[in-house]
């Protein structure tokens, strides 16, 4: 609790212009394993601490009026991690939804899962479906959790959906445009990502939202995810507010 109090106080030092917040923030939460290793603990210990960091970031995003927050929780490649780590992550997921869903719902958070929900183990699949159904009509923060997600697979899936529509005669090939394509991505209806944050200093996208980050501003911080507190988050938002976004054009 003391740590939460300190983070909260420090965070207020960072001034933000409420009229220029990013509409859509995406986060690659990296560094849980290294955080645990530095403490001589198993990787699962880092993931558990990572969930605590995540709770604070979700709450703050909702409090300050961010429209959409998308987090990378588990990629299609993460299944190849050691069995006990995968199993710890799956347990944390169940725990997270069991513990947080009511508070998220009360705060009008709308949960969407990006990824192959059908490919998740049974209990997780049920919990994810229940969370989406429970919060479906909420009009607060749009919280998108990428789980069993890979961006290339998402793009291929969209191409297949469109091809099937053309095959059925519902659509002509010359009608396919970016709006139709975007409507077939898991992120359909969401604004483009404005700000992509990656923790732990790695400069790569790791198969995350390849299409949606086309004009996003990237902020990479050295902080490991469990240490990414509200101060660090507001600093990333402030950095975004200093960027000069041109979307391929020139400054007027
Ligand atoms: C990357 O760190 C992190 C992950 C693969 C998992 C992120 C998951 C959470 C923060 C918690 C689960 C989420 C929910 C919604 C309950 P890493 O393990 O690759 O770290 P390393 O690069 O230091 O090894």
């Amino acid at each position: 609790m003391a740590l939460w109090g300190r983070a909260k106080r420090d965070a207020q030092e960072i001034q933000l212009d409420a009229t220029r917040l990013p509409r859509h923030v995406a986060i690659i939460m990296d560094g849980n394993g290294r955080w645990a290793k530095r403490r001589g603990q198993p990787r699962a210990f880092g993931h558990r601490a990572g969930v605590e960091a995540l709770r604070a970031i979700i709450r703050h995003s909702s409090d300050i009026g961010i429209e959409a927050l998308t987090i990378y929780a588990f990629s299609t490649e993460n299944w190849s991690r050691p069995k006990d780590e995968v199993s710890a992550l799956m347990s944390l997921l169940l725990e997270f939804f069991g513990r947080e869903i009511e508070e998220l719902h009360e705060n009008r958070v709308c949960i969407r899962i990006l990824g192959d929900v059908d490919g998740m183990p049974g209990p997780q699949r049920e919990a994810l479906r229940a969370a989406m159904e429970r919060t479906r009509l909420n009009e607060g923060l749009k919280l998108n959790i990428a789980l069993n997600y890979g961006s290339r697979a998402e793009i291929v899936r969209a191409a297949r959906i469109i091809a099937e529509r053309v095959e059925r005669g519902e659509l002509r090939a010359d009608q396919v445009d970016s709006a139709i394509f975007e409507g077939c991505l898991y992120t359909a209806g969401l604004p483009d990502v404005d700000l992509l944050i990656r923790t732990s200093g790695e400069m790569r996208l790791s198969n995350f939202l390849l299409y949606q980050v086309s004009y996003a501003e990237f902020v990479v911080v050295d902080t490991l995810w469990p240490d990414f507190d509200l101060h660090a988050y507001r600093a990333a938002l402030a950095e975004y507010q200093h960027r000069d976004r041109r979307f391929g054009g020139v400054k007027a």
Side-chain angles (χ1 to χ4, degrees):
M1 274 339 254
L3 185 65
W4 170 248
R6 183 169 63 80
K8 215 172 168 181
R9 214 167 32 248
D10 289 348
Q12 295 313 318
E13 289 168 5
I14 298 178
Q15 300 293 317
L16 294 172
D17 176 350
T19 65
R20 292 183 54 245
L21 286 170
R23 287 181 70 191
H24 189 168
V25 178
I27 309 184
I28 302 178
M29 310 180 288
D30 197 12
N32 294 346
R34 275 163 285 169
W35 187 90
K37 195 172 174 200
R38 282 179 196 175
R39 287 160 179 77
Q41 296 286 342
R43 297 175 58 81
F45 183 76
H47 294 312
R48 182 168 287 280
V51 174
E52 292 311 308
L54 175 60
R55 289 179 67 217
I57 298 302
I58 294 172
R59 191 182 313 178
H60 196 61
S61 301
S62 169
D63 286 350
I64 64 176
I66 298 286
E67 182 178 335
L69 173 68
T70 301
I71 50 157
Y72 205 3
F74 194 87
S75 75
T76 42
E77 290 74 34
N78 286 155
W79 295 112
S80 66
R81 291 191 174 206
K83 217 169 153 232
D84 60 338
E85 185 179 350
V86 171
S87 143
L89 278 165
M90 291 299 129
S91 300
L92 276 174
L93 201 61
L94 276 188
E95 206 181 295
F96 176 82
F97 281 104
R99 205 175 55 160
E100 304 295 326
I101 191 68
E102 283 316 312
E103 190 185 327
L104 292 169
H105 184 52
E106 275 163 27
N107 284 292
R108 299 171 36 252
V109 173
C110 175
I111 296 171
R112 187 192 300 198
I113 305 301
L114 314 183
D116 180 12
V117 175
D118 291 342
M120 295 292 286
Q124 283 74 13
R125 193 167 59 226
E126 293 318 311
L128 298 174
R129 288 200 182 126
M132 281 193 279
E133 180 54 29
R134 180 104 173 93
T135 64
R136 189 168 57 92
L137 300 175
N138 289 343
E139 289 178 347
L141 173 72
K142 297 179 174 89
L143 174 62
N144 312 299
I145 308 179
L147 273 168
N148 199 14
Y149 173 88
S151 184
R152 286 183 174 179
E154 177 188 31
I155 290 169
V156 170
R157 174 179 172 274
R160 189 174 304 128
I161 293 170
I162 290 170
E164 284 166 0
R165 283 194 198 155
V166 172
E167 214 169 59
R168 286 197 298 269
E170 296 167 7
L171 194 67
R172 289 195 322 269
D174 66 0
Q175 289 174 315
V176 179
D177 58 10
S178 55
I180 287 183
F181 191 81
E182 286 158 20
C184 296
L185 296 172
Y186 291 123
T187 49
L190 294 170
D192 273 353
V193 175
D194 297 302
L195 168 63
L196 174 74
I197 300 170
R198 181 163 188 151
T199 57
S200 95
E202 309 288 353
M203 306 265 189
R204 47 177 180 264
L205 271 176
S206 303
N207 202 15
F208 187 48
L209 303 177
L210 303 180
Y211 185 98
Q212 297 88 339
V213 297
S214 296
Y215 287 103
E217 296 296 323
F218 286 19
V219 172
V220 176
V221 295
D222 287 335
T223 314
L224 303 178
W225 175 253
D227 291 329
F228 190 79
D229 59 11
L230 297 192
H231 188 274
Y233 186 35
R234 288 178 67 91
L237 293 168
E239 163 76 27
Y240 166 85
Q241 294 193 327
H242 286 111
R243 298 279 176 91
D244 174 24
R245 301 188 77 195
R246 293 193 297 274
F247 299 94
V250 289
K251 205 172 176 187

